[in-house]
Amino acid sequence: MSLQILTIPCRTDNYAYLAHDPETGATALVDVPEAGPILDALSQHGWRLSDVLITHHHGDHVEGLKDVLSHAPARVIGAAADAHRLPPLDIAVSEGDAVHIGSETGRVIEVPGHTVGHIAFHFPESGAVFTADSLMALGCGRVFEGTMPQMHASLGKLAALPPATLVYSGHEYTAANAAFARSVDPDNPRLAARTEEIARTRAAGRPTVPVPLAEELETNPFLRAQDPAIRAHLGLESATDAEVFAEIRGRKDRF
């Protein structure tokens, strides 16, 4: 039985996620931007928190943890590489390690770039990957700590997951990301249609995440450095994929 996954808007544009295993009653929380909305959701659904999965150390992903744990004690799981600057961990994990939510087993994917210790959590049985600020809807996180080649390689790992995988990212940045994407991929009809869909979704007050990886592969320029149309538009026909990615990320930083 697949995990039941709930998207929880937090702060001004963050998302946390509750992943509930109906078979065992286990419930995991992915990232903790603030406590109030998360505790409300647990109460409304009658779910008992068993685990907290932390993707990276930034405050807008961990600041609510102390308050959540004071009301709902749970095991805290995060990257071994970042244990020195994360809240206290019960389980420290690295690339390929197993993570369990009740009866479902996920795997840790190390995705450095946005931070050097950023991790994602992939649950293949439920077709879900929690990517926070690595792969985002129509975008990727700013490269704060890692390098452009690191981020490009991290996104390559995520792009290789099954296309039907739903990508649960950390922020509601999709409309702004769409505007930028069209500036580097202006002739992509699927991107134009998706931009209109995003506007309708946001006008209705609904989140634009999760999104199927297949849709990201068709429209997210940060996954499309090999695309001849994007390369031609940027004047980088003979560059490497990593060089094209770095140019796209640099343009987004200045957009």
Side-chain angles (χ1 to χ4, degrees):
M1 186 178 296
S2 295
L3 297 171
Q4 297 174 2
I5 301 174
L6 183 65
T7 301
I8 305 174
C10 296
R11 297 166 58 108
T12 56
D13 55 24
N14 277 78
Y15 289 121
Y17 299 98
L18 287 173
H20 177 73
D21 177 22
E23 184 177 329
T24 64
T27 303
L29 168 63
V30 183
D31 285 341
V32 201
E34 63 173 325
I38 293 164
L39 293 172
D40 288 346
L42 286 168
S43 177
Q44 289 167 11
H45 288 266
W47 292 347
R48 179 189 59 81
L49 191 64
S50 55
D51 299 279
V52 179
L53 313 182
I54 299 176
T55 61
H56 65 297
H57 73 90
H58 284 163
D60 62 332
H61 292 260
V62 300
E63 282 179 352
L65 181 60
K66 183 177 179 180
D67 286 344
V68 166
L69 294 180
S70 70
H71 292 85
R75 296 185 303 178
V76 180
I77 301 169
D82 254 2
H84 62 288
R85 56 181 180 174
L86 288 170
L89 301 177
D90 296 300
I91 301 175
V93 293
S94 301
E95 175 78 21
D97 283 350
V99 175
H100 302 281
I101 303 176
S103 59
E104 180 153 352
T105 300
R107 294 289 173 184
V108 174
I109 304 173
E110 292 184 348
V111 284
H114 181 65
T115 69
V116 293
H118 200 306
I119 57 177
F121 299 94
H122 177 222
F123 291 88
E125 292 176 47
S126 292
V129 62
F130 299 96
T131 59
D133 295 0
S134 54
L135 175 59
M136 307 176 85
L138 274 180
C140 74
R142 189 183 290 263
V143 181
F144 282 127
E145 297 178 4
T147 65
M148 293 291 185
Q150 273 185 321
M151 181 62 104
H152 180 246
S154 294
L155 294 178
K157 287 185 184 180
L158 297 171
L161 296 176
T165 304
L166 288 176
V167 179
Y168 293 83
S169 53
H171 289 272
E172 185 54 66
Y173 291 166
T174 318
N177 287 344
F180 170 74
R182 296 196 69 181
S183 76
V184 296
D185 193 13
D187 300 318
N188 183 337
R190 182 66 195 96
L191 176 57
R194 185 176 176 189
T195 301
E196 295 177 0
E197 293 168 9
I198 290 163
R200 289 192 294 269
T201 299
R202 293 307 294 153
R206 299 194 305 272
T208 59
V209 296
V211 62
L213 177 59
E215 193 162 5
E216 293 299 312
L217 293 170
E218 292 179 345
T219 56
N220 186 332
F222 297 101
L223 300 183
R224 296 169 56 75
Q226 77 287 353
D227 184 81
I230 292 178
R231 288 168 159 267
H233 184 76
L234 299 177
L236 294 174
E237 292 93 333
S238 61
T240 66
D241 289 351
E243 288 168 341
V244 175
F245 168 80
E247 175 65 20
I248 294 170
R249 184 60 253 182
R251 289 186 179 218
K252 179 63 168 66
D253 293 344
R254 302 185 295 271
F255 189 71

PDB file of all heavy atoms in Angstrom, residues 158-182:
ATOM      1  N   LEU A 158      18.866  12.618  -9.894  1.00  0.00           N
ATOM      2  CA  LEU A 158      17.413  12.689  -9.740  1.00  0.00           C
ATOM      3  C   LEU A 158      16.709  12.494 -11.076  1.00  0.00           C
ATOM      4  O   LEU A 158      15.661  11.844 -11.150  1.00  0.00           O
ATOM      5  CB  LEU A 158      17.030  14.031  -9.113  1.00  0.00           C
ATOM      6  CG  LEU A 158      17.581  14.251  -7.701  1.00  0.00           C
ATOM      7  CD1 LEU A 158      17.348  15.692  -7.255  1.00  0.00           C
ATOM      8  CD2 LEU A 158      16.963  13.274  -6.702  1.00  0.00           C
ATOM      9  N   ALA A 159      17.293  13.017 -12.147  1.00  0.00           N
ATOM     10  CA  ALA A 159      16.690  12.867 -13.476  1.00  0.00           C
ATOM     11  C   ALA A 159      16.645  11.420 -13.927  1.00  0.00           C
ATOM     12  O   ALA A 159      15.833  11.059 -14.786  1.00  0.00           O
ATOM     13  CB  ALA A 159      17.460  13.710 -14.493  1.00  0.00           C
ATOM     14  N   ALA A 160      17.504  10.579 -13.349  1.00  0.00           N
ATOM     15  CA  ALA A 160      17.562   9.175 -13.746  1.00  0.00           C
ATOM     16  C   ALA A 160      16.524   8.306 -13.042  1.00  0.00           C
ATOM     17  O   ALA A 160      16.403   7.118 -13.351  1.00  0.00           O
ATOM     18  CB  ALA A 160      18.962   8.622 -13.464  1.00  0.00           C
ATOM     19  N   LEU A 161      15.771   8.872 -12.111  1.00  0.00           N
ATOM     20  CA  LEU A 161      14.708   8.110 -11.451  1.00  0.00           C
ATOM     21  C   LEU A 161      13.587   7.814 -12.453  1.00  0.00           C
ATOM     22  O   LEU A 161      13.503   8.455 -13.510  1.00  0.00           O
ATOM     23  CB  LEU A 161      14.159   8.909 -10.263  1.00  0.00           C
ATOM     24  CG  LEU A 161      15.138   9.174  -9.114  1.00  0.00           C
ATOM     25  CD1 LEU A 161      14.475  10.076  -8.056  1.00  0.00           C
ATOM     26  CD2 LEU A 161      15.624   7.870  -8.491  1.00  0.00           C
ATOM     27  N   PRO A 162      12.708   6.876 -12.148  1.00  0.00           N
ATOM     28  CA  PRO A 162      11.604   6.583 -13.070  1.00  0.00           C
ATOM     29  C   PRO A 162      10.792   7.842 -13.386  1.00  0.00           C
ATOM     30  O   PRO A 162      10.471   8.620 -12.481  1.00  0.00           O
ATOM     31  CB  PRO A 162      10.764   5.563 -12.304  1.00  0.00           C
ATOM     32  CG  PRO A 162      11.747   4.880 -11.404  1.00  0.00           C
ATOM     33  CD  PRO A 162      12.717   5.949 -10.993  1.00  0.00           C
ATOM     34  N   PRO A 163      10.454   8.075 -14.658  1.00  0.00           N
ATOM     35  CA  PRO A 163       9.773   9.316 -15.035  1.00  0.00           C
ATOM     36  C   PRO A 163       8.445   9.552 -14.329  1.00  0.00           C
ATOM     37  O   PRO A 163       8.023  10.706 -14.179  1.00  0.00           O
ATOM     38  CB  PRO A 163       9.577   9.159 -16.546  1.00  0.00           C
ATOM     39  CG  PRO A 163      10.657   8.223 -16.974  1.00  0.00           C
ATOM     40  CD  PRO A 163      10.838   7.275 -15.834  1.00  0.00           C
ATOM     41  N   ALA A 164       7.787   8.495 -13.898  1.00  0.00           N
ATOM     42  CA  ALA A 164       6.503   8.664 -13.211  1.00  0.00           C
ATOM     43  C   ALA A 164       6.658   9.125 -11.765  1.00  0.00           C
ATOM     44  O   ALA A 164       5.658   9.446 -11.106  1.00  0.00           O
ATOM     45  CB  ALA A 164       5.715   7.357 -13.243  1.00  0.00           C
ATOM     46  N   THR A 165       7.883   9.172 -11.264  1.00  0.00           N
ATOM     47  CA  THR A 165       8.124   9.584  -9.887  1.00  0.00           C
ATOM     48  C   THR A 165       7.592  10.995  -9.644  1.00  0.00           C
ATOM     49  O   THR A 165       7.835  11.906 -10.435  1.00  0.00           O
ATOM     50  CB  THR A 165       9.640   9.565  -9.570  1.00  0.00           C
ATOM     51  OG1 THR A 165      10.156   8.264  -9.844  1.00  0.00           O
ATOM     52  CG2 THR A 165       9.896   9.936  -8.122  1.00  0.00           C
ATOM     53  N   LEU A 166       6.871  11.181  -8.538  1.00  0.00           N
ATOM     54  CA  LEU A 166       6.413  12.508  -8.164  1.00  0.00           C
ATOM     55  C   LEU A 166       7.495  13.206  -7.353  1.00  0.00           C
ATOM     56  O   LEU A 166       8.042  12.649  -6.395  1.00  0.00           O
ATOM     57  CB  LEU A 166       5.124  12.427  -7.349  1.00  0.00           C
ATOM     58  CG  LEU A 166       3.864  12.036  -8.112  1.00  0.00           C
ATOM     59  CD1 LEU A 166       2.675  11.907  -7.155  1.00  0.00           C
ATOM     60  CD2 LEU A 166       3.546  13.047  -9.211  1.00  0.00           C
ATOM     61  N   VAL A 167       7.800  14.444  -7.755  1.00  0.00           N
ATOM     62  CA  VAL A 167       8.857  15.235  -7.126  1.00  0.00           C
ATOM     63  C   VAL A 167       8.224  16.201  -6.124  1.00  0.00           C
ATOM     64  O   VAL A 167       7.447  17.089  -6.497  1.00  0.00           O
ATOM     65  CB  VAL A 167       9.656  16.010  -8.186  1.00  0.00           C
ATOM     66  CG1 VAL A 167      10.741  16.865  -7.514  1.00  0.00           C
ATOM     67  CG2 VAL A 167      10.269  15.053  -9.207  1.00  0.00           C
ATOM     68  N   TYR A 168       8.564  16.008  -4.852  1.00  0.00           N
ATOM     69  CA  TYR A 168       8.063  16.854  -3.767  1.00  0.00           C
ATOM     70  C   TYR A 168       9.196  17.795  -3.354  1.00  0.00           C
ATOM     71  O   TYR A 168      10.118  17.400  -2.644  1.00  0.00           O
ATOM     72  CB  TYR A 168       7.632  15.991  -2.579  1.00  0.00           C
ATOM     73  CG  TYR A 168       6.422  15.127  -2.837  1.00  0.00           C
ATOM     74  CD1 TYR A 168       6.545  13.901  -3.482  1.00  0.00           C
ATOM     75  CD2 TYR A 168       5.150  15.539  -2.434  1.00  0.00           C
ATOM     76  CE1 TYR A 168       5.433  13.102  -3.721  1.00  0.00           C
ATOM     77  CE2 TYR A 168       4.033  14.743  -2.658  1.00  0.00           C
ATOM     78  CZ  TYR A 168       4.183  13.527  -3.307  1.00  0.00           C
ATOM     79  OH  TYR A 168       3.078  12.739  -3.537  1.00  0.00           O
ATOM     80  N   SER A 169       9.132  19.039  -3.805  1.00  0.00           N
ATOM     81  CA  SER A 169      10.207  19.992  -3.541  1.00  0.00           C
ATOM     82  C   SER A 169       9.810  20.960  -2.430  1.00  0.00           C
ATOM     83  O   SER A 169       8.689  20.933  -1.929  1.00  0.00           O
ATOM     84  CB  SER A 169      10.599  20.729  -4.824  1.00  0.00           C
ATOM     85  OG  SER A 169       9.472  21.307  -5.453  1.00  0.00           O
ATOM     86  N   GLY A 170      10.747  21.835  -2.062  1.00  0.00           N
ATOM     87  CA  GLY A 170      10.634  22.544  -0.799  1.00  0.00           C
ATOM     88  C   GLY A 170       9.988  23.897  -0.797  1.00  0.00           C
ATOM     89  O   GLY A 170       9.770  24.469   0.277  1.00  0.00           O
ATOM     90  N   HIS A 171       9.673  24.453  -1.980  1.00  0.00           N
ATOM     91  CA  HIS A 171       9.174  25.832  -2.024  1.00  0.00           C
ATOM     92  C   HIS A 171       8.148  26.017  -3.136  1.00  0.00           C
ATOM     93  O   HIS A 171       8.145  25.284  -4.126  1.00  0.00           O
ATOM     94  CB  HIS A 171      10.323  26.819  -2.272  1.00  0.00           C
ATOM     95  CG  HIS A 171      11.253  26.973  -1.120  1.00  0.00           C
ATOM     96  ND1 HIS A 171      11.041  27.875  -0.112  1.00  0.00           N
ATOM     97  CD2 HIS A 171      12.413  26.335  -0.829  1.00  0.00           C
ATOM     98  CE1 HIS A 171      12.035  27.797   0.758  1.00  0.00           C
ATOM     99  NE2 HIS A 171      12.878  26.861   0.350  1.00  0.00           N
ATOM    100  N   GLU A 172       7.332  27.042  -2.969  1.00  0.00           N
ATOM    101  CA  GLU A 172       6.404  27.460  -4.018  1.00  0.00           C
ATOM    102  C   GLU A 172       7.057  28.583  -4.835  1.00  0.00           C
ATOM    103  O   GLU A 172       6.766  29.764  -4.672  1.00  0.00           O
ATOM    104  CB  GLU A 172       5.075  27.931  -3.406  1.00  0.00           C
ATOM    105  CG  GLU A 172       4.001  28.266  -4.431  1.00  0.00           C
ATOM    106  CD  GLU A 172       3.732  27.132  -5.411  1.00  0.00           C
ATOM    107  OE1 GLU A 172       3.231  26.071  -5.000  1.00  0.00           O
ATOM    108  OE2 GLU A 172       4.049  27.326  -6.606  1.00  0.00           O
ATOM    109  N   TYR A 173       8.002  28.172  -5.685  1.00  0.00           N
ATOM    110  CA  TYR A 173       8.716  29.106  -6.547  1.00  0.00           C
ATOM    111  C   TYR A 173       8.327  28.928  -8.013  1.00  0.00           C
ATOM    112  O   TYR A 173       8.950  29.506  -8.905  1.00  0.00           O
ATOM    113  CB  TYR A 173      10.226  28.870  -6.445  1.00  0.00           C
ATOM    114  CG  TYR A 173      10.894  29.227  -5.141  1.00  0.00           C
ATOM    115  CD1 TYR A 173      12.193  28.778  -4.887  1.00  0.00           C
ATOM    116  CD2 TYR A 173      10.274  30.005  -4.173  1.00  0.00           C
ATOM    117  CE1 TYR A 173      12.841  29.092  -3.701  1.00  0.00           C
ATOM    118  CE2 TYR A 173      10.913  30.322  -2.984  1.00  0.00           C
ATOM    119  CZ  TYR A 173      12.200  29.863  -2.751  1.00  0.00           C
ATOM    120  OH  TYR A 173      12.847  30.177  -1.582  1.00  0.00           O
ATOM    121  N   THR A 174       7.317  28.130  -8.282  1.00  0.00           N
ATOM    122  CA  THR A 174       7.127  27.623  -9.638  1.00  0.00           C
ATOM    123  C   THR A 174       6.768  28.703 -10.648  1.00  0.00           C
ATOM    124  O   THR A 174       7.265  28.682 -11.787  1.00  0.00           O
ATOM    125  CB  THR A 174       6.060  26.509  -9.643  1.00  0.00           C
ATOM    126  OG1 THR A 174       6.270  25.649  -8.519  1.00  0.00           O
ATOM    127  CG2 THR A 174       6.156  25.691 -10.902  1.00  0.00           C
ATOM    128  N   ALA A 175       5.950  29.663 -10.276  1.00  0.00           N
ATOM    129  CA  ALA A 175       5.584  30.712 -11.233  1.00  0.00           C
ATOM    130  C   ALA A 175       6.805  31.528 -11.635  1.00  0.00           C
ATOM    131  O   ALA A 175       7.011  31.827 -12.825  1.00  0.00           O
ATOM    132  CB  ALA A 175       4.501  31.609 -10.648  1.00  0.00           C
ATOM    133  N   ALA A 176       7.621  31.906 -10.658  1.00  0.00           N
ATOM    134  CA  ALA A 176       8.840  32.649 -10.974  1.00  0.00           C
ATOM    135  C   ALA A 176       9.807  31.793 -11.789  1.00  0.00           C
ATOM    136  O   ALA A 176      10.456  32.284 -12.727  1.00  0.00           O
ATOM    137  CB  ALA A 176       9.511  33.129  -9.688  1.00  0.00           C
ATOM    138  N   ASN A 177       9.894  30.513 -11.445  1.00  0.00           N
ATOM    139  CA  ASN A 177      10.758  29.622 -12.210  1.00  0.00           C
ATOM    140  C   ASN A 177      10.279  29.497 -13.656  1.00  0.00           C
ATOM    141  O   ASN A 177      11.095  29.403 -14.582  1.00  0.00           O
ATOM    142  CB  ASN A 177      10.802  28.239 -11.558  1.00  0.00           C
ATOM    143  CG  ASN A 177      11.620  28.214 -10.284  1.00  0.00           C
ATOM    144  OD1 ASN A 177      12.394  29.126 -10.010  1.00  0.00           O
ATOM    145  ND2 ASN A 177      11.455  27.165  -9.493  1.00  0.00           N
ATOM    146  N   ALA A 178       8.964  29.475 -13.852  1.00  0.00           N
ATOM    147  CA  ALA A 178       8.426  29.372 -15.208  1.00  0.00           C
ATOM    148  C   ALA A 178       8.796  30.587 -16.039  1.00  0.00           C
ATOM    149  O   ALA A 178       9.145  30.467 -17.225  1.00  0.00           O
ATOM    150  CB  ALA A 178       6.912  29.201 -15.158  1.00  0.00           C
ATOM    151  N   ALA A 179       8.718  31.769 -15.437  1.00  0.00           N
ATOM    152  CA  ALA A 179       9.079  32.990 -16.167  1.00  0.00           C
ATOM    153  C   ALA A 179      10.530  32.930 -16.622  1.00  0.00           C
ATOM    154  O   ALA A 179      10.856  33.289 -17.767  1.00  0.00           O
ATOM    155  CB  ALA A 179       8.839  34.215 -15.286  1.00  0.00           C
ATOM    156  N   PHE A 180      11.408  32.471 -15.747  1.00  0.00           N
ATOM    157  CA  PHE A 180      12.808  32.341 -16.147  1.00  0.00           C
ATOM    158  C   PHE A 180      12.974  31.262 -17.204  1.00  0.00           C
ATOM    159  O   PHE A 180      13.693  31.456 -18.204  1.00  0.00           O
ATOM    160  CB  PHE A 180      13.697  32.017 -14.951  1.00  0.00           C
ATOM    161  CG  PHE A 180      15.086  31.638 -15.391  1.00  0.00           C
ATOM    162  CD1 PHE A 180      15.954  32.614 -15.850  1.00  0.00           C
ATOM    163  CD2 PHE A 180      15.495  30.308 -15.407  1.00  0.00           C
ATOM    164  CE1 PHE A 180      17.220  32.268 -16.312  1.00  0.00           C
ATOM    165  CE2 PHE A 180      16.757  29.956 -15.867  1.00  0.00           C
ATOM    166  CZ  PHE A 180      17.625  30.950 -16.327  1.00  0.00           C
ATOM    167  N   ALA A 181      12.347  30.108 -17.010  1.00  0.00           N
ATOM    168  CA  ALA A 181      12.506  29.001 -17.952  1.00  0.00           C
ATOM    169  C   ALA A 181      12.155  29.435 -19.375  1.00  0.00           C
ATOM    170  O   ALA A 181      12.849  29.067 -20.338  1.00  0.00           O
ATOM    171  CB  ALA A 181      11.637  27.821 -17.520  1.00  0.00           C
ATOM    172  N   ARG A 182      11.136  30.248 -19.512  1.00  0.00           N
ATOM    173  CA  ARG A 182      10.730  30.691 -20.844  1.00  0.00           C
ATOM    174  C   ARG A 182      11.759  31.638 -21.461  1.00  0.00           C
ATOM    175  O   ARG A 182      11.826  31.776 -22.681  1.00  0.00           O
ATOM    176  CB  ARG A 182       9.350  31.334 -20.783  1.00  0.00           C
ATOM    177  CG  ARG A 182       8.276  30.339 -20.365  1.00  0.00           C
ATOM    178  CD  ARG A 182       6.886  30.821 -20.649  1.00  0.00           C
ATOM    179  NE  ARG A 182       6.617  30.860 -22.090  1.00  0.00           N
ATOM    180  CZ  ARG A 182       5.475  31.271 -22.612  1.00  0.00           C
ATOM    181  NH1 ARG A 182       4.482  31.662 -21.831  1.00  0.00           N
ATOM    182  NH2 ARG A 182       5.300  31.281 -23.907  1.00  0.00           N
TER     183      ARG A 182
END
